[in-house]
Amino acid sequence: MPMYSEKVMDHFTNPRNIGEVDDADGVGEVGNPVCGDMMKFTIKVKDNRIEDIKYFTFGCGAAIAVSSMVSEMARGKTLEEALKITNKQVAEELGGLPGNKMHCSNLGADALHKAIHDYMEKQGAKK
Amino acid sequence: MPMYSEKVMDHFTNPRNIGEVDDADGVGEVGNPVCGDMMKFTIKVKDNRIEDIKYFTFGCGAAIAVSSMVSEMARGKTLEEALKITNKQVAEELGGLPGNKMHCSNLGADALHKAIHDYMEKQGAKK
Amino acid sequence: MKEINLDYAAATPVDEKVLEAMLPFFTEHYGNPSSGHNLGEKPRQALEEARAEVGRLIGIEEPGKNKIIFTASASEANNLAIKGIVTAGKRRGNRIITSAIEHFSILNQLRSLEKEGYEIVKLPVDESGLVSPGQLKEALNDQTILVSIQVANTEIGTIQPIKELVAIATEQEIPFHSDATAAAGWIPLNVEALGVDMLTLAGDQLYGPKGAGALFVKRGIRLRPLIEGGIQEQGLRAGTENVPAIVGFGEAARLAYTHLQKRSEQVASFRDKLKESLFKEIPHLHLNGHPEKRLPWNLNISVEFVEGEALLMRLNMEGIYVSSGSSCTSQALKSSHVLDAIGSPPELAQGSLLLAAGLKSREEDIPGITEKMSEVASLLRKMSPLYHQYLKEAQNNANV
Amino acid sequence: MKEINLDYAAATPVDEKVLEAMLPFFTEHYGNPSSGHNLGEKPRQALEEARAEVGRLIGIEEPGKNKIIFTASASEANNLAIKGIVTAGKRRGNRIITSAIEHFSILNQLRSLEKEGYEIVKLPVDESGLVSPGQLKEALNDQTILVSIQVANTEIGTIQPIKELVAIATEQEIPFHSDATAAAGWIPLNVEALGVDMLTLAGDQLYGPKGAGALFVKRGIRLRPLIEGGIQEQGLRAGTENVPAIVGFGEAARLAYTHLQKRSEQVASFRDKLKESLFKEIPHLHLNGHPEKRLPWNLNISVEFVEGEALLMRLNMEGIYVSSGSSCTSQALKSSHVLDAIGSPPELAQGSLLLAAGLKSREEDIPGITEKMSEVASLLRKMSPLYHQYLKEAQNNANV
Ligand SMILES: Cc1ncc(COP(=O)(O)O)c(C=O)c1O
Ligand SMILES: Cc1ncc(COP(=O)(O)O)c(C=O)c1O
């Protein structure tokens, strides 16, 4: 793991916000074990802001660190702001990721965006 | 040199009969530096026997040991006996020679035979 | 923190006796074995003694009878065997048979040869990792120039019926190479009894140093050297011989041969007890590889619902060193080709751990290992969507 | 008996500091650099530090900038360079240019490639061993895919005008490989200033251990690995890295870099004094190689009228170790291809001795060496038909 930054190791060792929020407003699930990693984000939205965010992750060290970092980055942000979080930003916040692990940051951002879109769709359906 | 037998090392270290006999009855020279080895045998013949035999050799350790061994094997033998000395016998008497040095034993036997034939020719010429 | 190595498949420490045997060849007997003077003598002798010891480990009693070519690694020996025989071009044909679970040093060169026009047949294996002799027989045709099937698999430990496989190829006069890297020193091997034409092994898998491998080559097999140049190693591998490493390999081979049974029993006993303990304490474990026909040191398990690298990293934090997938490819992304080949479902293959016992593995450490493994598995399962899905389904089933 | 090694070209002992640097990697830091856990960390770091040190020795300041691929020997690096670029097949063409005095690990693989249809042009050298830039220029054509010319010759010590030669090839965008095995650590080398695309060197020529060589590969040069398998060495050389040997190579490179000038001057001073003494005391000696443009440790003489192996053996009995012809081929029969190429007449080429000075060569030994050499030369001349022929002719001339 010397190929992982300290930040990655920190988030892997102490992943933040594990779990599932109660009565999720939005759910975003990406990946599957066949491709190697799987993430499921659940969010609570209040006043257009991500009030709570949790996740389950099946995957390598980087995948776990990415999930944790994404949850921290997204929490408290407006949906628009959260939608602007890119995989590149996630990797940067983590102090970089090894080349062969960059796809994990994609997954993290994707899962977050999916959860937000899920929320938005449900909102649309309610109207 | 560990590929050389003790016998070879002995004859290389203390080569017998170096030199040229005075008023040689027969001279046999084979090889040249281009092929790598060169031997010159000179013999004294008395009563159809090789009374004295000496040589000069330019060549590797095996070539020197072969010359020395041939000189010992031939000394005192009748010409007919000496002509029967084969390269194989020389190599055997030396306790064997490495494969890539077998040509040296050929040279030794050849040079001896050449010296004998030289003597025989000269004898023929005298008659 | 107490450190426990369960990754002796990746590397073994050099045995004290082995290092002792090597040391004089760095400084005192540093000569070149090709030298014609005294400085070459000891190194040259030592080389031949090592050759005899390595030969003995694989059943060669008369050193002169067969060739052992020293290389720098098992990978090099595997490349010399396959490319060597193919480029020597003695046999006509373009088909090469191998198995789906060979090491990358076999499979990747075969992929290159495939691009050059050779037909590569990768025999499948059953769910325990065994190649079927019947399928080998069917795969042979008159275009077949080589069969290369390993003695045993490093990752899942499965031992092939090599003798039987060789007999099938030999019947049709097709040369047979076998990679014994994982097996040599741990199970008895006799190249003559097995009938193989070439066999690969290496010193660093048996408490010898890195940097010394060997290829056994039967008489009559013609190879083109991979490394051309000087006439070292009977013209089959140019370059100044790595005398200290080869001496170490020789000594390691001697020790492995002398203590083979004791060593095997020792690691197998540890392995079996570890397995029992883990399976008792941790739910949802799966054994990979053959239940009996396996290398004595090898335990490979899949920890359901979690991913191997995360397990490896968590265990590493606890001072327990394991590998996930093949140790040589743990930097790669995909699940191991070996687990794929035995039909392990992806989510299980992803969570595979190779636990490789060694001579210093201690049974008294098993409770500690089990506890840590259990903790780490629980922790990662708690964050696994697959585990929560399973729990939900289990609850639903219970409610039905 | 006092032993005096004058054959440091065949092998150098491992420097104490080098061995000290290596030792922990046999037993303590024995891990596999590819391992994902802590046991892989030290070895992996050590590997990269060694890479940086070896890079520094050949003028690479930024380690990341260019590739150093570790191999097991200079021979392997030479084979990787040439076969690697040829089989990568990026350039179209079939002509490869080399010199007549390359090491066998260059020439023998080129002979193989010739059989496969490549056109091999061996540039001649002048009587001092120099390749002519003009002749290189003439030899290049649009089918030329590679030039491989050594930095310096091990046997006769001649140093080529590499920078000039490279410039000619580079002008036509033809990759240039150079074998610096004999030169690295003894003359300053800077791959960037020289402009070479690939460069071979090895640790055992500079008081490092056997078993570690390296190929520098410039960015943009594509090679196919010789040994395929795992992704070690950036995918260019599969197989578990020989960590202790590479660490030793790194430390040896560091020491060589640090002390390059001092070491060179030291061995050159010994060499020059030895030469002076020998030429003064022994008649009919001839210097082989360039009088000035030569490696500082290298002295090559022909002892007229006698043969080299016999000299070597006699000197060996006196505890003086030398080589005759190329040290790596002293078991072969013919006189060296290098001496043939510089036009040395056969009887002189046959009597050539390579006297290679080392860091432990002592000037106070020179009188003793001279005396023994003189004795041995006399003794062998006394039994040489060529010498007696010479004496006779000399006498005849005197009588005229
Ligand atoms: C110039 C040169 N290149 C390559 C080599 C090959 O070195 P090795 O035998 O260590 O592979 C040698 C050996 O002496 C050499 O002198
Ligand atoms: C079965 C098998 N063959 C070959 C190899 C290659 O060994 P090396 O990396 O030492 O060349 C390995 C490495 O683990 C292996 O397990």
Side-chain angles (χ1 to χ4, degrees):
Chain A
M1 287 74 37
M3 53 242 182
Y4 284 141
S5 69
E6 263 181 52
K7 261 295 187 36
V8 171
M9 286 310 293
D10 175 34
H11 278 268
F12 171 73
T13 312
N14 304 297
R16 287 61 150 169
N17 310 316
I18 293 173
E20 234 168 352
V21 300
D22 292 336
D23 299 321
D25 294 326
V27 178
E29 206 171 318
V30 296
N32 59 62
V34 181
C35 338
D37 302 278
M38 193 175 162
M39 290 181 196
K40 183 182 178 186
F41 273 88
T42 47
I43 54 174
K44 265 318 236 197
V45 180
K46 197 175 169 187
D47 300 339
N48 199 43
R49 277 187 193 274
I50 295 180
E51 191 190 41
D52 199 3
I53 175 166
K54 294 196 170 177
Y55 59 86
F56 286 138
T57 296
F58 169 91
C60 65
I64 289 171
V66 160
S67 316
S68 171
M69 178 53 85
V70 165
S71 72
E72 288 224 315
M73 287 169 78
R75 181 184 295 256
K77 283 218 168 52
T78 65
L79 297 184
E80 291 69 30
E81 285 166 349
L83 277 173
K84 280 191 199 139
I85 294 175
T86 64
N87 52 341
K88 214 171 140 246
Q89 284 170 338
V90 176
E92 274 170 17
E93 283 289 321
L94 281 167
L97 279 174
N100 61 351
K101 298 290 187 180
M102 286 306 292
H103 71 288
C104 294
S105 56
N106 295 352
L107 283 182
D110 286 359
L112 170 66
H113 298 166
K114 229 171 163 179
I116 297 171
H117 287 130
D118 180 51
Y119 164 77
M120 287 174 161
E121 263 171 45
K122 281 180 190 154
Q123 285 303 98
K126 274 192 203 158
K127 279 176 202 162
Chain B
M1 289 72 29
M3 54 240 182
Y4 284 141
S5 70
E6 264 179 52
K7 261 293 187 36
V8 172
M9 287 310 292
D10 175 34
H11 278 268
F12 171 73
T13 312
N14 304 299
R16 287 58 149 171
N17 310 315
I18 294 173
E20 234 169 352
V21 300
D22 292 336
D23 299 322
D25 294 325
V27 178
E29 205 172 319
V30 297
N32 61 61
V34 181
C35 336
D37 302 278
M38 193 176 162
M39 289 181 195
K40 182 181 177 188
F41 274 89
T42 47
I43 55 174
K44 266 316 242 194
V45 180
K46 196 174 169 188
D47 301 339
N48 200 42
R49 279 189 192 273
I50 296 181
E51 193 191 39
D52 199 3
I53 176 165
K54 295 197 170 177
Y55 60 86
F56 286 137
T57 295
F58 169 90
C60 64
I64 291 171
V66 160
S67 317
S68 170
M69 178 52 85
V70 165
S71 72
E72 288 224 315
M73 287 170 77
R75 181 184 293 257
K77 284 219 168 50
T78 66
L79 298 183
E80 292 70 30
E81 286 167 348
L83 278 172
K84 280 191 199 138
I85 292 174
T86 63
N87 51 341
K88 211 170 141 250
Q89 285 172 337
V90 177
E92 274 171 19
E93 283 289 322
L94 281 168
L97 280 174
N100 61 350
K101 300 289 188 181
M102 287 307 290
H103 70 286
C104 294
S105 57
N106 295 353
L107 284 183
D110 285 0
L112 169 66
H113 298 165
K114 229 169 163 179
I116 298 172
H117 286 130
D118 180 52
Y119 164 78
M120 287 174 161
E121 264 170 42
K122 281 179 189 156
Q123 286 302 97
K126 276 191 202 161
K127 277 176 203 159
Chain C
M1 185 176 59
K2 176 159 188 159
E3 294 183 292
I4 294 171
N5 187 0
L6 283 173
D7 190 19
Y8 287 106
T12 53
V14 174
D15 187 298
E16 261 174 43
K17 279 192 191 144
V18 169
L19 184 57
E20 212 172 286
M22 292 168 69
L23 282 178
F25 292 90
F26 289 112
T27 45
E28 191 182 349
H29 308 309
Y30 65 88
N32 188 320
S34 299
S35 287
H37 49 67
N38 286 351
L39 297 182
E41 200 160 338
K42 272 266 181 194
R44 187 163 46 240
Q45 279 169 6
L47 220 53
E48 295 322 310
E49 280 163 27
R51 212 183 298 282
E53 292 297 349
V54 171
R56 192 163 300 133
L57 181 63
I58 55 171
I60 301 171
E61 288 302 329
E62 288 173 62
K65 209 172 156 194
N66 281 300
K67 278 190 241 176
I68 300 277
I69 307 300
F70 284 119
T71 65
S73 67
S75 294
E76 187 190 337
N78 281 341
N79 276 258
L80 173 58
I82 294 184
K83 291 184 195 164
I85 203 164
V86 165
T87 58
K90 201 175 159 191
R91 291 182 68 86
R92 296 233 176 113
N94 73 334
R95 175 181 281 214
I96 300 171
I97 317 251
T98 189
S99 86
I101 61 170
E102 299 296 314
H103 186 260
F104 286 126
S105 54
I106 301 286
L107 293 179
N108 283 353
Q109 54 169 328
L110 290 179
R111 204 171 52 183
S112 289
L113 289 174
E114 199 165 33
K115 283 188 204 144
E116 288 177 19
Y118 287 89
E119 186 196 2
I120 308 302
V121 180
K122 283 196 228 171
L123 296 177
V125 294
D126 69 15
E127 76 285 353
S128 67
L130 287 174
V131 171
S132 143
Q135 284 184 315
L136 172 59
K137 193 158 194 169
E138 271 170 41
L140 299 178
N141 65 8
D142 63 0
Q143 289 300 302
T144 309
I145 54 175
L146 179 67
V147 179
S148 179
I149 297 175
Q150 61 192 191
V151 172
N153 188 278
T154 301
E155 193 175 340
I156 58 170
T158 303
I159 300 170
Q160 300 297 337
I162 286 296
K163 192 169 175 172
E164 204 179 330
L165 296 170
V166 172
I168 290 164
T170 306
E171 205 177 48
Q172 306 194 24
E173 290 175 19
I174 297 165
F176 197 108
H177 166 256
S178 190
D179 180 357
T181 307
W186 300 103
I187 62 174
L189 285 176
N190 186 314
V191 286
E192 284 166 29
L194 292 175
V196 291
D197 297 288
M198 296 188 279
L199 189 99
T200 292
L201 67 163
D204 57 349
Q205 305 275 333
L206 33 98
Y207 297 83
K210 295 175 177 66
L215 182 68
F216 156 80
V217 185
K218 198 179 188 167
R219 264 193 192 196
I221 296 291
R222 209 166 65 201
L223 301 181
R224 176 177 156 186
L226 207 57
I227 301 170
E228 293 170 295
I231 54 169
Q232 293 94 344
E233 298 298 310
Q234 304 179 52
L236 284 177
R237 204 261 188 180
T240 303
E241 302 89 340
N242 187 348
V243 181
I246 292 171
V247 166
F249 186 7
E251 177 66 3
R254 190 184 69 77
L255 292 167
Y257 179 76
T258 311
H259 304 300
L260 193 140
Q261 204 185 341
K262 204 186 88 208
R263 287 182 172 190
S264 292
E265 284 170 7
Q266 183 186 324
V267 292
S269 163
F270 173 88
R271 186 265 319 265
D272 292 342
K273 289 189 177 124
L274 177 62
K275 180 184 156 211
E276 205 188 309
S277 173
L278 294 175
F279 277 73
K280 197 171 140 223
E281 300 299 331
I282 307 173
H284 310 297
L285 293 189
H286 303 260
L287 179 71
N288 297 313
H290 199 283
E292 287 105 36
K293 294 176 190 166
R294 73 186 300 142
L295 294 171
W297 52 260
N298 180 290
L299 178 58
N300 190 306
I301 55 173
S302 284
V303 182
E304 205 173 346
F305 312 123
V306 302
E307 191 272 344
E309 193 207 80
L311 276 167
L312 183 161
M313 287 173 64
R314 276 276 166 196
L315 288 169
N316 184 57
M317 285 159 49
E318 306 289 341
I320 296 176
Y321 308 129
V322 302
S323 77
S324 168
S326 164
S327 63
C328 302
T329 57
S330 57
Q331 286 182 4
L333 267 180
K334 294 280 122 201
S335 69
S336 114
H337 66 290
V338 177
L339 293 169
D340 288 351
I342 60 172
S344 176
E347 68 275 20
L348 282 184
Q350 296 271 8
S352 86
L353 286 186
L354 167 55
L355 307 177
L359 299 178
K360 296 227 165 130
S361 300
R362 292 283 162 264
E363 295 186 3
E364 72 234 36
D365 290 333
I366 290 176
I369 297 168
T370 308
E371 197 187 312
K372 299 282 185 204
M373 288 272 274
S374 178
E375 270 173 37
V376 163
S378 296
L379 195 146
L380 290 171
R381 280 174 178 167
K382 248 180 240 155
M383 63 174 96
S384 164
L386 295 171
Y387 187 59
H388 289 280
Q389 198 174 304
Y390 159 80
L391 289 179
K392 208 169 280 174
E393 280 165 22
Q395 196 158 13
N396 289 345
N397 288 342
N399 291 348
V400 172
Chain D
M1 185 176 59
K2 175 157 189 163
E3 294 183 292
I4 294 170
N5 187 1
L6 283 173
D7 190 19
Y8 287 106
T12 53
V14 174
D15 187 298
E16 261 175 44
K17 280 194 191 141
V18 169
L19 184 56
E20 211 173 284
M22 292 169 68
L23 283 178
F25 293 89
F26 290 112
T27 44
E28 191 184 348
H29 307 309
Y30 64 88
N32 189 320
S34 299
S35 287
H37 49 66
N38 285 352
L39 296 182
E41 201 160 338
K42 272 264 181 199
R44 187 164 45 238
Q45 279 169 7
L47 219 54
E48 295 321 311
E49 280 164 27
R51 211 183 298 281
E53 292 297 349
V54 171
R56 191 162 301 134
L57 181 63
I58 56 172
I60 302 171
E61 287 303 328
E62 287 173 62
K65 208 171 157 195
N66 280 300
K67 279 189 241 176
I68 300 277
I69 307 301
F70 284 120
T71 65
S73 67
S75 294
E76 187 189 338
N78 281 341
N79 276 258
L80 173 58
I82 293 185
K83 290 184 196 164
I85 203 164
V86 164
T87 58
K90 201 175 159 192
R91 290 182 69 86
R92 296 232 177 112
N94 74 334
R95 177 182 278 216
I96 300 172
I97 318 256
T98 189
S99 87
I101 61 170
E102 299 297 313
H103 186 258
F104 285 126
S105 55
I106 300 285
L107 293 179
N108 283 352
Q109 53 168 330
L110 290 178
R111 203 170 54 184
S112 289
L113 289 174
E114 198 164 33
K115 282 187 203 143
E116 288 176 20
Y118 288 88
E119 187 197 1
I120 308 302
V121 180
K122 282 197 229 172
L123 296 177
V125 293
D126 69 16
E127 76 285 352
S128 67
L130 287 173
V131 172
S132 143
Q135 283 183 317
L136 171 60
K137 193 159 194 171
E138 270 170 39
L140 300 178
N141 66 7
D142 62 359
Q143 289 299 302
T144 309
I145 53 175
L146 179 68
V147 179
S148 179
I149 297 174
Q150 61 193 192
V151 171
N153 188 278
T154 301
E155 195 176 338
I156 57 170
T158 303
I159 300 170
Q160 300 297 335
I162 285 297
K163 192 169 174 173
E164 203 179 333
L165 296 170
V166 172
I168 290 164
T170 306
E171 204 176 48
Q172 306 195 24
E173 289 174 19
I174 297 165
F176 198 108
H177 166 255
S178 190
D179 180 356
T181 306
W186 300 103
I187 61 173
L189 286 175
N190 186 314
V191 286
E192 284 166 29
L194 292 175
V196 291
D197 296 288
M198 296 189 279
L199 189 100
T200 292
L201 68 164
D204 57 350
Q205 304 276 332
L206 34 97
Y207 297 83
K210 295 175 177 67
L215 182 67
F216 156 79
V217 185
K218 197 179 186 166
R219 263 191 194 198
I221 296 290
R222 209 166 66 201
L223 301 181
R224 176 177 156 186
L226 208 57
I227 301 170
E228 294 171 294
I231 54 169
Q232 293 95 343
E233 297 299 310
Q234 304 178 54
L236 284 178
R237 203 261 187 178
T240 302
E241 301 89 342
N242 187 348
V243 180
I246 292 170
V247 166
F249 186 7
E251 177 65 3
R254 191 184 68 76
L255 292 167
Y257 179 76
T258 312
H259 304 299
L260 194 139
Q261 204 186 341
K262 204 187 87 207
R263 287 182 172 190
S264 293
E265 285 169 7
Q266 182 185 326
V267 292
S269 164
F270 173 87
R271 187 265 319 265
D272 291 342
K273 289 188 177 126
L274 177 63
K275 181 185 156 213
E276 204 188 310
S277 173
L278 294 175
F279 277 74
K280 195 170 142 223
E281 300 298 331
I282 308 174
H284 311 297
L285 294 188
H286 302 259
L287 179 71
N288 297 312
H290 199 283
E292 287 105 37
K293 293 176 190 165
R294 72 186 302 141
L295 294 171
W297 51 260
N298 180 290
L299 178 59
N300 190 304
I301 54 174
S302 284
V303 182
E304 204 173 345
F305 311 123
V306 302
E307 192 272 344
E309 193 206 82
L311 276 168
L312 183 160
M313 287 173 65
R314 276 275 164 195
L315 288 169
N316 183 58
M317 286 159 49
E318 307 288 342
I320 296 176
Y321 308 130
V322 303
S323 76
S324 168
S326 163
S327 63
C328 302
T329 56
S330 57
Q331 287 183 4
L333 267 180
K334 293 281 123 201
S335 69
S336 115
H337 67 289
V338 177
L339 293 168
D340 287 352
I342 60 172
S344 176
E347 68 274 21
L348 282 183
Q350 296 269 8
S352 86
L353 287 186
L354 167 54
L355 309 176
L359 299 178
K360 296 227 166 129
S361 299
R362 293 282 161 265
E363 295 186 4
E364 70 234 38
D365 291 333
I366 290 176
I369 297 168
T370 308
E371 196 187 313
K372 300 282 185 203
M373 288 271 274
S374 178
E375 272 174 35
V376 163
S378 296
L379 195 146
L380 290 172
R381 281 174 178 169
K382 249 179 239 155
M383 64 173 94
S384 165
L386 296 172
Y387 186 59
H388 288 280
Q389 197 174 303
Y390 160 81
L391 289 178
K392 209 170 281 174
E393 279 165 21
Q395 195 156 15
N396 288 345
N397 289 342
N399 292 347
V400 172

